[in-house]
Protein backbone atom coordinates (compact mmCIF):
# COMPACT_ATOMS: atom_id res chain seq x y z
CA UNK A 1 0.00 0.00 0.00
CA UNK A 2 1.24 3.46 -0.84
CA UNK A 3 0.79 6.20 1.73
CA UNK A 4 -1.65 7.08 4.45
CA UNK A 5 -5.36 7.76 4.19
CA UNK A 6 -6.80 10.87 5.87
CA UNK A 7 -10.49 10.83 6.84
CA UNK A 8 -12.28 13.84 8.31
CA UNK A 9 -15.36 13.35 10.44
CA UNK A 10 -13.78 10.05 11.46
CA UNK A 11 -15.87 9.60 14.62
CA UNK A 12 -19.30 9.65 12.94
CA UNK A 13 -21.00 6.51 11.65
CA UNK A 14 -19.97 7.00 8.01
CA UNK A 15 -16.49 8.16 9.03
CA UNK A 16 -15.99 5.07 11.19
CA UNK A 17 -17.07 2.83 8.30
CA UNK A 18 -14.66 4.55 5.90
CA UNK A 19 -11.79 4.30 8.38
CA UNK A 20 -12.54 0.62 9.01
CA UNK A 21 -12.63 -0.19 5.30
CA UNK A 22 -9.26 1.41 4.58
CA UNK A 23 -7.74 -0.09 7.73
CA UNK A 24 -8.93 -3.57 6.73
CA UNK A 25 -7.33 -3.04 3.31
CA UNK A 26 -4.00 -2.40 5.00
CA UNK A 27 -3.76 1.38 4.85
CA UNK A 28 -2.54 3.54 7.71
CA UNK A 29 -5.52 5.68 8.64
CA UNK A 30 -5.29 9.20 10.04
CA UNK A 31 -8.62 10.39 11.44
CA UNK A 32 -9.65 14.00 12.07
CA UNK A 33 -12.65 15.04 14.11
CA UNK A 34 -13.73 17.67 16.57
CA UNK A 35 -14.51 15.02 19.18
CA UNK A 36 -13.86 11.32 19.47
CA UNK A 37 -10.99 8.96 20.07
CA UNK A 38 -8.46 6.99 18.09
CA UNK A 39 -10.58 3.85 17.71
CA UNK A 40 -10.02 2.26 14.31
CA UNK A 41 -7.56 4.99 13.25
CA UNK A 42 -3.82 4.53 13.50
CA UNK A 43 -3.57 8.22 14.36
CA UNK A 44 -6.37 10.48 15.59
CA UNK A 45 -6.09 14.26 15.54
CA UNK A 46 -8.64 16.29 17.45
CA UNK A 47 -9.19 19.17 15.05
CA UNK A 48 -12.01 21.71 14.91
CA UNK A 49 -12.28 22.35 11.17
CA UNK A 50 -14.26 25.55 11.66
CA UNK A 51 -11.42 26.99 13.75
CA UNK A 52 -8.85 25.67 11.29
CA UNK A 53 -10.51 27.74 8.57
CA UNK A 54 -11.02 30.87 10.66
CA UNK A 55 -7.87 31.12 12.80
CA UNK A 56 -4.43 31.38 11.20
CA UNK A 57 -2.37 30.08 14.12
CA UNK A 58 -4.76 27.23 14.92
CA UNK A 59 -4.71 26.25 11.22
CA UNK A 60 -0.91 26.36 11.09
CA UNK A 61 -0.56 24.06 14.10
CA UNK A 62 -3.31 21.67 12.95
CA UNK A 63 -1.86 21.31 9.46
CA UNK A 64 1.64 20.81 10.84
CA UNK A 65 0.32 17.98 13.03
CA UNK A 66 -1.53 16.51 10.05
CA UNK A 67 1.42 16.51 7.67
CA UNK A 68 3.56 15.00 10.43
CA UNK A 69 1.01 12.22 10.99
CA UNK A 70 0.84 11.49 7.26
CA UNK A 71 4.62 11.26 7.11
CA UNK A 72 6.89 11.12 4.08
CA UNK A 73 5.43 8.04 2.38
CA UNK A 74 2.70 9.97 0.61
CA UNK A 75 -1.09 10.13 0.93
CA UNK A 76 -3.18 7.54 -0.88
CA UNK A 77 -6.46 9.36 -0.24
CA UNK A 78 -7.96 12.39 1.46
CA UNK A 79 -11.62 11.76 2.29
CA UNK A 80 -13.45 14.97 3.14
CA UNK A 81 -16.33 13.48 5.07
CA UNK A 82 -16.89 15.96 7.94
CA UNK A 83 -20.02 18.08 7.57
CA UNK A 84 -22.31 20.51 9.35
CA UNK A 85 -26.05 20.27 8.72
CA UNK A 86 -28.13 23.09 10.19
CA UNK A 87 -31.82 22.72 9.38
CA UNK A 88 -33.42 26.16 9.31
CA UNK A 89 -35.33 28.13 6.68
CA UNK A 90 -33.46 31.04 5.12
CA UNK A 91 -35.56 33.58 7.05
CA UNK A 92 -34.43 32.17 10.39
CA UNK A 93 -30.84 31.11 9.69
CA UNK A 94 -28.09 33.39 10.95
CA UNK A 95 -25.02 34.53 9.03
CA UNK A 96 -22.89 32.69 11.60
CA UNK A 97 -24.71 29.43 10.85
CA UNK A 98 -24.30 29.96 7.11
CA UNK A 99 -20.59 30.69 7.54
CA UNK A 100 -20.09 27.68 9.82
CA UNK A 101 -21.75 25.41 7.26
CA UNK A 102 -19.46 26.60 4.48
CA UNK A 103 -16.36 26.59 6.70
CA UNK A 104 -16.68 22.87 7.44
CA UNK A 105 -18.40 21.61 4.28
CA UNK A 106 -16.46 23.55 1.65
CA UNK A 107 -13.56 25.67 2.94
CA UNK A 108 -11.99 22.89 5.04
CA UNK A 109 -11.75 20.51 2.05
CA UNK A 110 -9.92 23.26 0.15
CA UNK A 111 -7.50 23.89 3.02
CA UNK A 112 -6.81 20.19 3.58
CA UNK A 113 -6.39 19.39 -0.11
CA UNK A 114 -3.94 22.23 -0.54
CA UNK A 115 -1.97 21.18 2.55
CA UNK A 116 -1.77 17.52 1.54
CA UNK A 117 -1.15 18.12 -2.16
CA UNK A 118 2.58 17.24 -2.03
CA UNK A 119 1.80 13.95 -0.23
CA UNK A 120 -1.11 13.18 -2.59
CA UNK A 121 1.07 13.89 -5.61
CA UNK A 122 3.81 11.60 -4.27
CA UNK A 123 1.32 8.71 -4.08
CA UNK A 124 -0.64 9.61 -7.23
CA UNK A 125 -3.48 9.69 -4.75
CA UNK A 126 -7.11 10.72 -4.70
CA UNK A 127 -9.38 13.25 -3.07
CA UNK A 128 -12.85 11.89 -2.34
CA UNK A 129 -15.40 14.44 -1.18
CA UNK A 130 -18.59 13.30 0.54
CA UNK A 131 -21.32 15.48 -0.84
CA UNK A 132 -25.06 14.67 -0.66
CA UNK A 133 -28.26 14.05 -2.58
CA UNK A 134 -29.10 17.56 -1.36
CA UNK A 135 -26.64 18.88 -3.94
CA UNK A 136 -29.29 18.25 -6.61
CA UNK A 137 -32.54 17.55 -4.74
CA UNK A 138 -33.40 19.17 -1.45
CA UNK A 139 -36.31 20.28 0.73
CA UNK A 140 -37.31 23.27 2.85
CA UNK A 141 -34.93 24.18 5.65
CA UNK A 142 -31.81 22.76 3.99
CA UNK A 143 -30.72 25.79 1.96
CA UNK A 144 -27.31 26.29 3.62
CA UNK A 145 -26.48 22.58 3.63
CA UNK A 146 -27.70 21.99 0.07
CA UNK A 147 -25.84 25.01 -1.28
CA UNK A 148 -22.59 23.96 0.40
CA UNK A 149 -22.89 20.42 -0.95
CA UNK A 150 -23.65 21.64 -4.46
CA UNK A 151 -20.55 23.84 -4.23
CA UNK A 152 -18.55 20.79 -3.10
CA UNK A 153 -19.57 19.00 -6.31
CA UNK A 154 -18.30 21.94 -8.36
CA UNK A 155 -15.13 22.05 -6.25
CA UNK A 156 -14.58 18.38 -7.05
CA UNK A 157 -14.75 19.04 -10.79
CA UNK A 158 -12.37 21.97 -10.44
CA UNK A 159 -9.91 19.88 -8.46
CA UNK A 160 -9.94 17.18 -11.11
CA UNK A 161 -9.00 19.73 -13.76
CA UNK A 162 -6.33 21.45 -11.68
CA UNK A 163 -4.69 18.35 -10.20
CA UNK A 164 -4.75 15.85 -13.08
CA UNK A 165 -2.98 13.70 -13.98
CA UNK A 166 -1.05 13.49 -10.70
CA UNK A 167 -4.08 13.44 -8.38
CA UNK A 168 -7.66 12.39 -9.06
CA UNK A 169 -10.72 13.97 -7.41
CA UNK A 170 -14.21 12.51 -7.15
CA UNK A 171 -17.24 12.76 -4.91
CA UNK A 172 -19.77 10.41 -3.35
CA UNK A 173 -23.34 11.67 -2.93
CA UNK A 174 -25.33 9.57 -0.47
CA UNK A 175 -29.07 9.79 0.07
CA UNK A 176 -30.45 8.81 3.49
CA UNK A 177 -28.02 6.61 5.42
CA UNK A 178 -28.87 4.69 8.58
CA UNK A 179 -26.86 6.54 11.21
CA UNK A 180 -27.62 7.52 14.82
CA UNK A 181 -27.86 11.15 13.67
CA UNK A 182 -30.51 10.29 11.09
CA UNK A 183 -32.56 8.26 13.57
CA UNK A 184 -32.38 11.04 16.16
CA UNK A 185 -33.86 13.44 13.63
CA UNK A 186 -36.90 11.24 12.95
CA UNK A 187 -39.98 11.20 15.11
CA UNK A 188 -40.49 7.42 15.27
CA UNK A 189 -40.03 4.11 13.46
CA UNK A 190 -42.96 4.90 11.16
CA UNK A 191 -41.07 7.93 9.86
CA UNK A 192 -38.03 5.74 9.18
CA UNK A 193 -40.18 3.22 7.30
CA UNK A 194 -41.77 5.99 5.25
CA UNK A 195 -38.35 7.39 4.39
CA UNK A 196 -37.20 3.95 3.28
CA UNK A 197 -40.25 3.50 1.05
CA UNK A 198 -39.49 6.73 -0.79
CA UNK A 199 -36.29 5.15 -2.12
CA UNK A 200 -36.78 2.88 -5.15
CA UNK A 201 -34.48 0.39 -3.38
CA UNK A 202 -37.17 0.33 -0.63
CA UNK A 203 -34.62 1.00 2.09
CA UNK A 204 -32.08 3.56 3.18
CA UNK A 205 -28.34 3.14 2.83
CA UNK A 206 -25.78 1.73 5.24
CA UNK A 207 -22.50 3.39 6.24
CA UNK A 208 -20.48 0.47 4.86
CA UNK A 209 -22.04 1.03 1.42
CA UNK A 210 -20.75 4.60 1.39
CA UNK A 211 -17.35 3.32 2.52
CA UNK A 212 -17.19 0.82 -0.36
CA UNK A 213 -17.96 3.58 -2.87
CA UNK A 214 -15.15 5.70 -1.41
CA UNK A 215 -12.76 2.73 -1.53
CA UNK A 216 -13.57 2.12 -5.18
CA UNK A 217 -13.05 5.73 -6.24
CA UNK A 218 -9.69 5.81 -4.43
CA UNK A 219 -8.56 2.51 -5.95
CA UNK A 220 -6.61 1.63 -9.08
CA UNK A 221 -9.85 0.21 -10.51
CA UNK A 222 -11.03 3.82 -10.85
CA UNK A 223 -7.87 5.22 -12.46
CA UNK A 224 -9.82 6.64 -15.43
CA UNK A 225 -12.46 8.25 -13.21
CA UNK A 226 -11.91 11.83 -12.09
CA UNK A 227 -14.16 14.85 -11.65
CA UNK A 228 -17.28 12.74 -11.25
CA UNK A 229 -19.91 12.37 -8.53
CA UNK A 230 -21.16 8.89 -7.69
CA UNK A 231 -24.72 8.88 -6.36
CA UNK A 232 -25.17 6.16 -3.75
CA UNK A 233 -28.83 6.91 -3.24
CA UNK A 234 -31.01 3.83 -3.69
CA UNK A 235 -32.36 5.37 -6.91
CA UNK A 236 -34.07 8.34 -5.24
CA UNK A 237 -32.37 10.91 -7.48
CA UNK A 238 -34.38 9.51 -10.39
CA UNK A 239 -37.75 9.53 -8.71
CA UNK A 240 -40.27 12.34 -9.25
CA UNK A 241 -42.35 13.14 -6.17
CA UNK A 242 -45.64 14.61 -7.33
CA UNK A 243 -48.45 15.65 -4.94
CA UNK A 244 -50.80 13.27 -6.82
Amino acid sequence: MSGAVVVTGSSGAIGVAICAAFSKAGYRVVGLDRIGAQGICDDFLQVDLERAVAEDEYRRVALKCLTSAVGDQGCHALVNNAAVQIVKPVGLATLEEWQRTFAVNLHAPFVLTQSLLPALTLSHGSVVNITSIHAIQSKPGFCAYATSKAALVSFTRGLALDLSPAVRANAVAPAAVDTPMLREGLSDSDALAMLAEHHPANRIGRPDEIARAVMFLASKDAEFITGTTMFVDGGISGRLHDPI
Side-chain angles (χ1 to χ4, degrees):
M1 301 302 177
S2 176
V5 172
V6 175
V7 181
T8 70
S10 60
S11 297
I14 294 175
V16 167
I18 293 170
C19 290
F22 277 109
S23 180
K24 185 177 180 180
Y27 290 95
R28 186 168 60 82
V29 179
V30 179
L32 273 70
D33 212 320
R34 187 170 56 86
I35 56 174
Q38 186 161 326
I40 198 70
C41 303
D42 296 287
D43 290 285
F44 174 77
L45 303 178
Q46 188 167 347
V47 175
D48 184 328
L49 291 176
E50 184 182 6
R51 284 189 66 190
V53 167
E55 302 175 19
D56 291 346
E57 180 60 17
Y58 184 90
R59 179 170 62 253
R60 186 190 67 78
V61 172
L63 294 180
K64 182 178 180 181
C65 290
L66 175 59
T67 54
S68 176
V70 168
D72 58 5
Q73 299 302 307
C75 183
H76 171 74
L78 164 62
V79 185
N80 289 304
N81 168 66
V84 167
Q85 185 184 85
I86 297 170
V87 182
K88 278 188 178 181
V90 169
L92 297 179
T94 66
L95 178 58
E96 185 277 331
E97 289 168 334
W98 182 272
Q99 291 172 329
R100 181 183 175 216
T101 299
F102 273 79
V104 176
N105 297 4
L106 183 64
H107 302 329
F110 164 76
V111 168
L112 293 171
T113 300
Q114 196 172 62
S115 175
L116 291 174
L117 189 53
L120 287 163
T121 301
L122 181 64
S123 293
H124 294 284
S126 294
V127 177
V128 182
N129 296 318
I130 307 301
T131 179
S132 169
I133 188 66
H134 284 273
I136 60 166
Q137 292 177 313
S138 197
K139 51 190 176 182
F142 285 81
C143 185
Y145 180 74
T147 304
S148 71
K149 290 299 187 177
L152 190 60
V153 169
S154 185
F155 175 63
T156 301
R157 290 195 297 266
L159 278 181
L161 297 175
D162 281 357
L163 305 185
S164 292
V167 176
R168 294 183 299 109
N170 292 290
V172 174
V177 178
D178 193 356
T179 64
M181 182 181 296
L182 177 75
R183 287 179 176 266
E184 288 168 9
L186 297 174
S187 56
D188 52 38
S189 58
D190 290 340
L192 183 63
M194 186 180 299
L195 179 61
E197 289 170 2
H198 275 294
H199 292 70
N202 200 37
R203 67 175 178 86
I204 60 176
R206 301 189 307 269
D208 67 284
E209 292 174 313
I210 309 307
R212 288 201 298 273
V214 172
M215 288 283 293
F216 168 71
L217 288 175
S219 74
K220 288 188 177 296
D221 291 335
E223 281 186 332
F224 196 57
I225 302 174
T226 191
T228 194
T229 297
M230 177 186 290
F231 285 86
V232 186
D233 63 2
I236 200 169
S237 61
R239 169 171 267 175
L240 180 65
H241 291 280
D242 282 333
I244 56 172

